[in-house]
């Protein structure tokens, strides 16, 4: 940034007396802000201070020292081009929010483009607005009219690179480019990489917790987009920093020195954040005879239908998930197949499944859920519990059952508007009770005021499970977190929990480790859910199924070990970084 953009009031290199006094005598919140400001002043220069620091609403976000320091370094030490590579959970989005807030104060943000994975676009929009008062239009908003019609845009990178919008994106000279999950552009042969390479911008901030996923080429490609020439050509980079088999890093000190010019990486153990404990309680229940017969009927149908037509995989997978969620969710899909798709060869099988649904008088999991929420009502402030389900029909039935027992209930799903979602969360915080949510809650909601959640039904993708838990187990949670998993005995749900998730210590792993495991699996061409489904439909017996899941657990442990080796390699590359700490 130019100095004329950074004209500030005169400051000294020592914190003012009133700030020091606030640290010693002030209220906790006053002391917190005073501490951040004092540290910035101690390191600052007259034209290089964060003017916007005091303007951040303390009620919306409590900035941490490493976040403020990262924002300052990215803006001033790295001239507005930085790779923010903090470990998962340390608040990289907050760091970017602070950066953009500061640029707004300095009038250097006339045009800002934030590119994210599709599922994170609305989350970014909400966080920038709610926490920093920065208004963006999102490409999923009704009022979005194109990349040339708005000056502050948040969009999925795939929308930006599409034939419809690509030319417009590239025609503009953007003041600021933000790229979330920057490892998505690690491959220089992709349209995503080419788009970022060709975008015109003055300042850029890339975010990723995993700058190296497979080898150092990932890092080279990402850094070269930000700082072309920093590492020289790809051939020179490989010859100078990596030995022949790419397993040993050479000239490490010089690599670190160059990375320090562009990358900021904070690690959990190097911050003052004290994450609370996580306790996981898996409860399995014996299904009623009617529920057992329904499960077996659906499983038999799914196996047969998949054997006849593998193109039905998605809907058959859905049926297998719905049958352990609720009869209501299953009924909806079965009836759709019967009545919306015309004549079906297997109409009799589907009608038989509907009869099995009608035979169920009591839904075991729904009744056992009452035990958990009653424990919470007796022991937890305002009895707050979050219950997650994948299906709206299941959500409706849970709400009805809880309401009959006199519980305060709140429903949260993707059909609500942004304002309605805010009102629902506010009511849950103010009045307590039970919030029953679909996975729409994964979109950036922070619910640290609650510390109990229930997985009523279980996503087969472990990252989705961690995203659910992440709503409450995150920075700002002050209590131990309790996670309850519910499953019916001898169903795919129990197999996934017992033979996969628990055997690979899913619930105690970091999000970064999970991401690495899943990325390696999906790079082989198979998704986690596909793998589960294939084993489910091809097993010849219950024993075969158990053995198949055991074998999958072994494969996943191997992937986890590989992921840890990559992390060890990363640590070798990143070790010794100046993380902005005060060395006095």
């Amino acid at each position: 940034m130019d100095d004329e953009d950074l004209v500030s009031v005169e400051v000294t290199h020592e914190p003012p007396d009133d700030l020091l006094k606030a640290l010693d005598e002030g209220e906790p919140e006053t002391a917190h802000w005073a501490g951040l400001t004092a540290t910035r002043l101690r390191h600052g220069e007259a034209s290089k201070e964060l003017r916007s620091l005091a303007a951040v609403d303390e009620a919306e976000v409590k900035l941490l020292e490493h976040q403020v320091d990262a924002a300052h370094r990215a803006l001033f030490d790295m001239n507005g081009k930085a790779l923010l590579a903090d470990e998962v959970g340390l608040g990289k989005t907050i760091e970017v929010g602070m950066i953009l807030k500061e640029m707004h104060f300095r009038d250097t943000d006339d045009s800002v483009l934030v590119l994210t994975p599709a599922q994170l676009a609305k989350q970014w929009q909400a966080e920038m607005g709610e926490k920093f008062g920065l208004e963006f239009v999102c490409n999923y908003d009704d009022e979005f009219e194109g990349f040339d019609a708005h000056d502050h845009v948040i969009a999925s990178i795939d929308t930006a690179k599409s034939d419809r919008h690509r030319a417009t994106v590239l025609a503009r000279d953007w003041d600021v480019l933000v790229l979330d999950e920057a490892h998505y552009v690690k491959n220089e042969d992709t349209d995503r990489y080419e788009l970022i390479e060709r975008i015109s911008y003055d300042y850029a901030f890339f975010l990723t917790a995993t700058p190296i996923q497979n080898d150092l080429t990932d890092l080279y490609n990402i850094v070269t987009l930000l700082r072309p020439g920093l590492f020289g050509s790809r051939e020179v980079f490989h010859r100078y920093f990596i030995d022949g088999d790419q397993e040993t890093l050479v000239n490490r000190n010089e690599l670190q020195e160059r990375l320090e010019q562009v990358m900021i990486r904070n690690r959990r153990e190097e911050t003052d954040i004290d994450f609370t404990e996580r306790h996981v309680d898996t409860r399995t229940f014996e299904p009623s005879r009617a529920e057992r017969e329904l499960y077996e009927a659906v499983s038999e149908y799914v196996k047969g239908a998949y054997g006849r037509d593998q193109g039905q995989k998605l809907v058959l997978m859905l049926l297998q998930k719905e049958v352990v969620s609720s009869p209501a969710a299953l009924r909806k899909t079965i009836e759709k197949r019967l009545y919306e798709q015309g004549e079906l060869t297997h109409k009799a099988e589907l009608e038989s499944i509907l009869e099995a649904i009608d035979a169920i008088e009591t839904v075991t999991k729904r009744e056992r859920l009452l035990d958990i929420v009653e424990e919470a009502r007796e022991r937890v402030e305002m009895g707050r519990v979050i219950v997650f389900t994948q299906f709206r029909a299941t959500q409706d039935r849970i709400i009805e059952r809880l309401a009959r027992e006199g519980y305060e209930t709140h429903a949260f799903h993707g059909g609500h508007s942004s304002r309605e979602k805010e009102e629902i969360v506010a009511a849950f915080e103010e009045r307590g009770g039970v919030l029953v949510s679909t996975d729409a809650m994964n979109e950036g909601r922070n619910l640290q005021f609650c510390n109990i959640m229930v997985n009523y039904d279980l996503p087969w993708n472990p990252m989705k499970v961690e995203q659910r838990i992440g709503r409450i187990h995150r920075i700002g949670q002050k209590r131990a977190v309790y996670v309850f998993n519910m499953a019916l005995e001898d169903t795919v749900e129990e197999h996934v929990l017992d033979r996969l998730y628990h055997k690979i210590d899913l619930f105690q792993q970091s999000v970064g480790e999970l991401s690495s495991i899943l990325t390696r699996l999906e790079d082989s061409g198979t998704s986690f859910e596909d793998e589960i489904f294939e084993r489910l439909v091809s097993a010849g017996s219950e024993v075969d199924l158990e053995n198949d899941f055991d074998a999958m657990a072994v494969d996943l442990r191997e992937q986890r070990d590989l992921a840890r080796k990559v992390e060890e390699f990363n640590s070798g590359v990143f070790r010794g970084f100046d993380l902005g700490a005060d060395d006095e």
Side-chain angles (χ1 to χ4, degrees):
M1 287 187 173
D2 297 330
D3 283 345
E4 55 263 31
D5 292 331
L6 302 171
V7 177
S8 178
V9 296
E10 182 179 357
V11 296
T12 65
H13 291 287
E14 292 298 323
D17 292 340
D18 57 335
L19 289 178
L20 294 176
K21 183 178 181 181
L23 286 172
D24 292 334
E25 303 174 2
E27 295 297 322
E29 289 299 319
T30 304
H32 170 73
W33 285 101
L36 292 177
T37 305
T39 301
R40 289 269 50 85
L41 289 173
R42 188 166 59 241
H43 289 299
E45 298 175 11
S47 62
K48 295 184 178 180
E49 278 314 313
L50 295 177
R51 302 178 189 173
S52 60
L53 191 60
V56 176
D57 188 346
E58 299 175 38
E60 295 296 337
V61 57
K62 182 174 181 178
L63 296 173
L64 302 174
E65 175 59 25
H66 76 272
Q67 295 167 342
V68 175
D69 192 74
H72 187 275
R73 293 179 62 205
L75 283 168
F76 303 117
D77 297 346
M78 298 178 177
N79 299 314
K81 290 186 178 179
L83 175 61
L84 302 171
D86 290 357
E87 287 186 330
V88 171
L90 296 186
K92 293 183 291 297
T93 308
I94 297 298
E95 293 168 1
V96 170
M98 193 66 233
I99 289 169
L100 296 179
K101 184 78 170 178
E102 184 66 22
M103 297 186 78
H104 182 69
F105 260 63
R106 295 172 182 272
D107 294 324
T108 54
D109 69 334
D110 289 343
S111 58
V112 181
L113 176 62
V114 180
L115 297 179
T116 78
Q119 69 273 19
L120 298 180
K122 295 296 289 183
Q123 172 181 325
W124 267 86
Q125 183 186 37
E127 292 213 7
M128 293 301 101
E130 294 168 4
K131 295 181 178 178
F132 297 98
L134 300 173
E135 298 301 321
F136 283 83
V137 66
C138 175
N139 68 284
Y140 297 112
D141 292 340
D142 292 339
E143 58 266 35
F144 178 72
E145 298 178 358
F147 289 87
D148 55 351
H150 311 278
D151 290 328
H152 295 81
V153 181
I154 294 175
S156 79
I157 187 171
D158 290 331
T159 296
K161 75 175 180 60
S162 67
D163 292 340
R164 179 181 178 185
H165 294 292
R166 180 185 183 86
T168 307
V169 172
L170 295 178
R172 292 193 70 167
D173 293 322
W174 300 92
D175 286 328
V176 187
L177 171 66
V178 175
L179 176 63
D180 192 18
E181 306 293 352
H183 51 272
Y184 283 7
V185 300
K186 65 184 180 181
N187 186 343
E188 72 274 16
D189 296 323
T190 63
D191 292 342
R192 289 174 177 173
Y193 187 96
E194 183 185 3
L195 177 75
I196 302 303
E197 189 175 39
R198 294 183 57 193
I199 289 179
S200 173
Y201 56 82
D202 294 325
Y203 309 113
F205 307 97
F206 291 5
L207 296 79
T208 177
T210 53
I212 302 174
Q213 290 191 309
N214 296 305
D215 59 55
L216 273 177
T217 301
D218 301 342
L219 183 63
Y220 173 87
N221 288 339
I222 294 171
V223 169
T224 297
L225 286 173
L226 268 174
R227 295 284 182 87
L230 182 63
F231 286 141
S233 70
R234 186 173 284 102
E235 293 72 23
V236 169
F237 175 79
H238 277 269
R239 188 167 62 248
Y240 193 70
F241 291 115
I242 311 169
D243 72 358
D245 58 11
Q246 292 196 11
E247 292 181 358
T248 304
L249 178 67
V250 294
N251 297 316
R252 176 176 294 175
N253 289 339
E254 183 169 348
L255 177 62
Q256 290 176 346
E257 289 174 3
R258 296 197 186 193
L259 284 175
E260 285 171 359
Q261 299 176 43
V262 69
M263 186 167 78
I264 300 168
R265 182 168 174 84
N266 291 301
R267 301 172 65 85
R268 286 196 177 203
E269 61 266 24
E270 294 162 336
T271 69
D272 295 329
I273 303 170
D274 185 18
F275 288 91
T276 60
E277 292 184 359
R278 177 189 298 186
H279 303 281
V280 180
D281 183 351
T282 295
R283 300 190 177 186
T284 57
F285 313 102
E286 182 179 356
S288 67
R289 181 176 178 179
E291 288 174 320
R292 170 62 61 197
E293 290 176 354
L294 175 62
Y295 179 80
E296 291 174 353
V298 170
S299 299
E300 196 65 30
Y301 171 75
V302 166
K303 286 184 180 182
Y306 186 64
R308 294 185 294 266
D309 179 7
Q310 296 190 3
Q312 302 181 73
K313 175 185 281 190
L314 290 179
V315 69
L316 296 176
M317 194 183 294
L318 179 66
L319 292 174
Q320 199 71 61
K321 294 176 180 178
E322 288 174 334
V323 70
V324 292
S325 178
S326 73
L330 179 64
R331 179 189 295 278
K332 185 176 179 180
T333 303
I334 294 292
E335 289 180 344
K336 183 176 181 179
R337 286 180 69 78
L338 270 172
Y339 304 122
E340 292 185 10
Q341 298 182 17
E343 288 296 322
L344 288 173
T345 305
H346 309 288
K347 182 177 180 180
E349 289 180 83
L350 295 173
E351 289 178 339
S352 176
I353 290 174
L354 285 179
E355 291 175 3
I357 291 173
D358 291 336
I360 295 175
E361 297 179 355
T362 301
V363 179
T364 299
K365 281 195 348 186
R366 200 157 64 218
E367 296 305 306
R368 297 284 69 79
L369 175 64
L370 295 175
D371 298 336
I372 297 173
V373 297
E374 183 59 30
E375 288 180 45
R377 183 155 64 176
E378 294 175 355
R379 301 183 183 183
V380 179
E381 178 189 7
M382 303 180 76
R384 291 195 193 95
V385 179
I386 300 173
V387 179
F388 275 105
T389 176
Q390 298 171 81
F391 306 107
R392 287 278 296 274
T394 302
Q395 180 189 46
D396 292 342
R397 298 301 184 274
I398 292 173
I399 290 285
E400 290 172 4
R401 186 70 183 91
L402 291 172
R404 286 206 306 270
E405 296 297 322
Y407 288 96
E408 174 91 24
T409 60
H410 315 269
F412 187 107
H413 54 70
H416 292 123
S417 68
S418 297
R419 174 174 293 182
E420 287 172 333
K421 288 177 180 178
E422 292 172 5
E423 291 172 350
I424 291 164
V425 171
F428 178 49
E429 182 173 10
E430 292 169 8
R431 302 201 298 267
V434 184
L435 174 68
V436 185
S437 176
T438 66
D439 285 322
M441 180 61 75
N442 285 347
E443 296 183 354
R445 296 288 165 177
N446 302 324
L447 304 171
Q448 298 95 320
F449 57 83
C450 178
N451 69 321
I452 299 178
M453 64 158 286
V454 178
N455 288 311
Y456 185 85
D457 47 45
L458 192 73
W460 290 359
N461 184 329
M463 187 60 77
K464 291 183 178 179
V465 180
E466 185 58 38
Q467 287 170 344
R468 288 178 173 184
I469 299 172
R471 297 305 98 221
I472 63 175
H473 197 211
R474 57 195 299 114
I475 293 175
Q477 177 59 261
K478 296 179 173 59
R479 296 166 292 176
V481 166
Y482 294 87
V483 179
F484 295 90
N485 299 313
M486 304 184 71
L488 293 177
E489 292 177 357
D490 299 322
T491 65
V492 63
E493 222 169 22
E494 186 186 25
H495 291 315
V496 170
L497 272 170
D498 185 44
R499 298 188 176 275
L500 287 182
Y501 288 0
H502 286 301
K503 287 195 174 183
I504 64 171
D505 299 322
L506 163 74
F507 297 104
Q508 302 305 325
Q509 288 181 57
S510 70
V511 175
E513 239 179 355
L514 279 177
S515 178
S516 296
I517 292 171
L518 295 179
T519 297
R520 289 177 174 278
L521 180 67
E522 291 176 1
D523 282 347
S524 69
T526 306
S527 76
F528 198 92
E529 294 194 349
D530 286 343
E531 188 79 10
I532 289 173
F533 183 74
E534 292 290 347
R535 292 174 187 270
L536 182 67
V537 297
S538 29
S541 67
E542 190 70 19
V543 173
D544 289 342
L545 183 60
E546 292 177 1
N547 290 337
D548 285 347
F549 275 104
D550 282 340
M552 187 175 176
V554 171
D555 291 342
L556 289 170
R557 279 197 294 266
E558 291 175 355
Q559 296 294 342
R560 180 189 60 195
D561 293 341
L562 285 172
R564 286 177 175 169
K565 288 179 181 178
V566 169
E567 178 58 27
E568 289 172 6
F569 182 71
N570 287 356
S571 298
V573 175
F574 304 140
R575 187 175 293 118
F577 261 34
D578 172 16
L579 301 176
D582 181 12
D583 294 328
E584 295 178 1

